[in-house]
Amino acid sequence: MTRDTNAQTRFQTATLGYPRIGKSRELKKALEAFWRGQSNAETLIQTQHEIELSHWQTQQNAGIDRIGIGDMSLYDHVLDWSIYLGIIPERFAAFSGLERYFAMARGNEGIPALEMTKWFDTNYHYLVPEIPEHLQPADFSDFLATVRRAQDQLGDRAVPIILGPVTLLRLSRFEMNQSQAASELCDRYVQLLQELKELGVAEVQIHEPALVFGDAANFKENYQATYQSLSQIGLAIQLVTYFDDLGDNYSWVMELPVAGVSLDFTRGRNLELLQQYGFPEDKQLGAGLVDARNIWKIRPDVLQSTLDIITGVTTNLRLQPSASLQFVPYDAQRERKLPEPLLQVLSFAEQKLEELQLLATHLRQPQEAETSLEAIRGQWQAFQDFSPVNQGVQERLQRLSSQDLERPLPYEQRLQQQPVLPPFPTTTIGSFPQTSDVRKLRVKLKRGDLSQAEYEAAIDAEIAKCIQFQDEAGLDVLVHGEFERTDMVEFFGQQLSGFAFTEYAWVQSYGSRCVRPPIIYGDVARTQAMTVREFKVAQSLTDKIVKGMLTGPVTMINWSFTRTDISRREQAMQIALALRDEVADLEAAGAKMVQIDEPALREGLPLKPERWDEYLSWAVDAFRLSAAIAQPQTQIHTHMCYSEFGDIIEHIERLDADVLSIENSRSNNETLFEITDAGYKNQVGNGVYDVHSPAVPATEQMVQQLKTGVANLPVSQIWVNPDCGLKTRSWDEVIPSLKNMVEAAKVLRQEVELTQK
C-alpha cells in the first residue's frame, strides 16, 4: 500500500462520544435517588461530573488524539440542546432548573412530558423538541462550563460535541414557522461558536446524522446557509454523520464549508461513494471504521481491504468509531463468565479505543501492528470452531413454505371463534412493577441462597398478588406480571441456545433506564418451554383470561447484539421458529390469548425508504411465522410503541394480529389517526396513559383519550390499556392509575349504552 510521506502525522484518532451511565451505572443510581428525594441536586451533579472525568481520563490514557466532550447528559442529549437553545414549550415555563429539565423529560402532575421516540434506528430514546412560537433566551453556560473542565483535563485534545442545527430542526415539532425557527436557531449556534472561540477552542464536532436520511436533500439549502454562517466564526468544524451513507447527497455535502467530514464505513455505501466521487483535498476524512453499534472485534482482513480503498483516495484521515460509543458497554474484560472463545472476540468501548490505536499504528508502521492483528485472526478462528452450525435449525428453515406464515382462517372468521368481552375491554401490556424485593429474589437465586423451588415459590406468590389486584380492580384480561423476567429480551434469550449474556454490559435506553442486550453468537434453538409454568400458575388463580406473554423475533433481533456472519433475516427466522413452538405449548396449556410483542419493529427500519420493503418483508414474515401456528380461536395480540404507522400501515396489516396495542398518549393520538385513516380493520389497544411518567392519570384524562378513539374507530375495535409495560413504575403509581383506567372504560360503556337505547 502506498503511503503519503507525511502520513504518520496525519493518521489521528478521535472519538465521537462515550457511554454515559458509569461503569457500575452510577448515574442511574444517582438519578433514581434524586427522584426519590434521597439526595440533592448537588450530589447528582457531582456524580455526573465524576463519571464524565473518568471517561475523559480513559480516552486520554488510551492515547486518543481528539476526544469528543460535552455529550454527557443527565437524561438525554437532545433534551439538553433544547434547553441550551431556549426551546422550552409554554407548559414548562413555570419551572426552572432541574425541575424544568425533569418535567420536560418525565412530565409532572397534569403536564405531559415531551414525546419520546427512537434515535434513528438505535434502541436509544430521545425527547422530541417542541419549538414554540417564542423561544426563551439561549443559555450555554452549563455546556461552556463542561468545556472548561475538559480543557483543564485534556488541553487541546478536547473537542466539543454539538448537536447539529439542521438535525435538531429535522427531529422537532413546530409551533413557530419552520423558516423562522431555522434562522433564529442559526443565530444561536453562531453565538455558541463565538463563545467557544473565546474559550480558546480551535475545533468542534457538529453532529448532523440527519444527513443520512432519505429526505436530506429537502434540507440542502438549509444546510448550505447554516454552515456558511457557522464557518465565518473561524473554528474548524468537523461535520459528523453516522448510521448510514450520504447517498445522493454526497457531492453537495462535500462542498459545505467545513474542515472535515466524518463518514460511517460500517453501514451503507459510503465506501462506494468515496471511490466514485473522491474526497476533497482541503478536508479531513473522519473514517468511522470501528463499529460503534456492535460488540465484535475488528476483522483484520476486512478492514485491510477497506483501508486500502480509503487511503487510495485520501490519507488526510482521522480513525474513529462509526458513531458515539454510547451504544456499546464499557469494558469486555469485566466479563468473567463468558466462554473464552467468545470473550476473545468481543470489543466494548475500551477495547474499541485500543482498536483505533492499533489501526493508527498499522497505518503509520505496519510491521509494529502485525503481531496484534495476527492474534486477532487467531481469536476469530478459535471462535468459529467454538460455535458450529446447528443442522436441525438449518433443516427447519429450509423446509419452510408460505403456508407456514398463514393463520388457519382470515381475521373476520377467526373473530367469531374468539372470546367475547364487554365493550372497551381492559388489559395491560404485560409487566408489573419490578420491586427491589423481586430483584433480590434473582440475586439470591444466583448466589445460591435460594433453591430453584424456593425461587419459583416466591415468584408464584408475586403472581398471585398481581392476579388478585387485577381481579379486584376489574380488569377484563389479565397478565401474570412477568416477575421472573429481568428484561423482555434477556429472559427469552437465556433459554435459547445461541445467545450469551453478560454481567456488566449495560447500555442506556433512556434516562435511568439501562439494558444489557444479549449477544447472538450462534444458531438459535429452543430446548424447552419458556413461559408455560408461570402461565399455568396465573391461569389457575382466576376464571378470567390470562394472556401468554412473548417477545417477538424482530424485537429480539433489534434489541440484541447480532451476528455479522449471517443476515439479520436468518437470525430473526431462527428465533421465530423457537417462538412458534412456544405458542403451540401455551395453547396446549390452555391459553386463549397470546401476546407477541414487537415494540422494536419500526426502529429497525433502514434510514433510507428505498430499503424499507426488504426489511419489512422479512420482519413481518418472522412475526407471522411465530404466530401462524395458533388455532383460529386463539387471539394473537401484539404491542408496538414509539412507532409511526402511516407510511408502513400495509405492513402492519400484514402482521395479521387480532389485537394491536399502540403507544398513543405521548404522540397526541397521531398513531391512532394514522391507523384509522388507513382503514385498519383489526382491533386496536388505544394506549390511554404514559407509563414513562410518574404522574397518576385522572379518570377524566383517560375518558377524553378514549373518546378520541371512539370518534375514529368503531367501539367493537377498541381495547383499553396503558401505553407500555408497567415494570419501571411503583405499585403506588400503578394501583390508582389502573383503577382510574378501568373506571374510564366503565364511563365509556355507560355512554355507549345510552346512545344505543
Side-chain angles (χ1 to χ4, degrees), residues 73-146:
S73 176
L74 283 175
Y75 202 96
D76 166 48
H77 66 285
V78 182
L79 173 61
D80 295 345
W81 282 100
S82 294
I83 289 178
Y84 296 153
L85 292 160
I87 303 173
I88 314 292
E90 180 61 30
R91 65 184 181 277
F92 303 110
F95 302 104
S96 62
L98 284 181
E99 187 180 17
R100 171 186 284 174
Y101 184 85
F102 290 123
M104 292 173 70
R106 307 172 75 226
N108 206 305
E109 293 296 334
I111 300 175
L114 296 177
E115 180 185 353
M116 183 188 291
T117 194
K118 294 299 178 75
W119 177 247
F120 291 76
D121 59 348
T122 75
N123 188 31
Y124 176 76
H125 303 63
Y126 77 95
L127 291 156
V128 178
E130 296 177 15
I131 301 181
E133 191 171 347
H134 301 287
L135 299 178
Q136 298 290 322
D139 183 356
F140 301 113
S141 57
D142 285 348
F143 186 74
L144 297 173
T146 298

Side-chain angles (χ1 to χ4, degrees), residues 694-712:
V696 174
T699 298
E700 181 57 31
Q701 173 186 333
M702 289 186 275
V703 166
Q704 293 306 314
Q705 184 82 354
L706 286 172
K707 285 183 176 179
T708 303
V710 172
N712 289 273

Side-chain angles (χ1 to χ4, degrees), residues 313-433:
V313 175
T314 180
T315 54
N316 189 6
L317 297 181
R318 280 188 182 172
L319 303 172
Q320 302 173 170
S322 60
S324 169
L325 293 172
Q326 73 178 93
F327 307 106
V328 295
Y330 278 88
D331 181 11
Q333 294 307 306
R334 299 183 74 193
E335 305 300 331
R336 299 300 182 192
K337 296 185 178 180
L338 294 175
E340 190 67 16
L342 173 59
L343 181 61
Q344 289 303 310
V345 293
L346 296 183
S347 175
F348 296 175
E350 291 189 16
Q351 287 70 48
K352 291 183 187 296
L353 300 179
E354 295 169 2
E355 289 175 336
L356 290 176
Q357 293 302 89
L358 176 59
L359 292 177
T361 300
H362 171 66
L363 287 177
R364 294 167 184 156
Q365 297 172 309
Q367 294 306 315
E368 285 192 18
E370 188 54 36
T371 300
S372 296
L373 292 171
E374 189 58 35
I376 294 174
R377 293 186 185 97
Q379 290 165 345
W380 275 112
Q381 183 59 56
F383 172 72
Q384 185 175 334
D385 296 339
F386 162 74
S387 182
V389 169
N390 185 317
Q391 292 297 337
V393 171
Q394 294 300 319
E395 289 171 6
R396 285 190 73 183
L397 288 173
Q398 291 168 9
R399 292 197 302 267
L400 289 177
S401 70
S402 59
Q403 289 184 331
D404 294 310
L405 310 181
E406 299 290 340
R407 294 288 299 276
L409 292 175
Y411 169 72
E412 293 78 7
Q413 295 178 38
R414 295 196 307 264
L415 185 60
Q416 303 307 312
Q417 300 184 31
Q418 292 174 0
V420 177
L421 295 165
F424 305 102
T426 55
T427 189
T428 66
I429 300 304
S431 60
F432 269 73

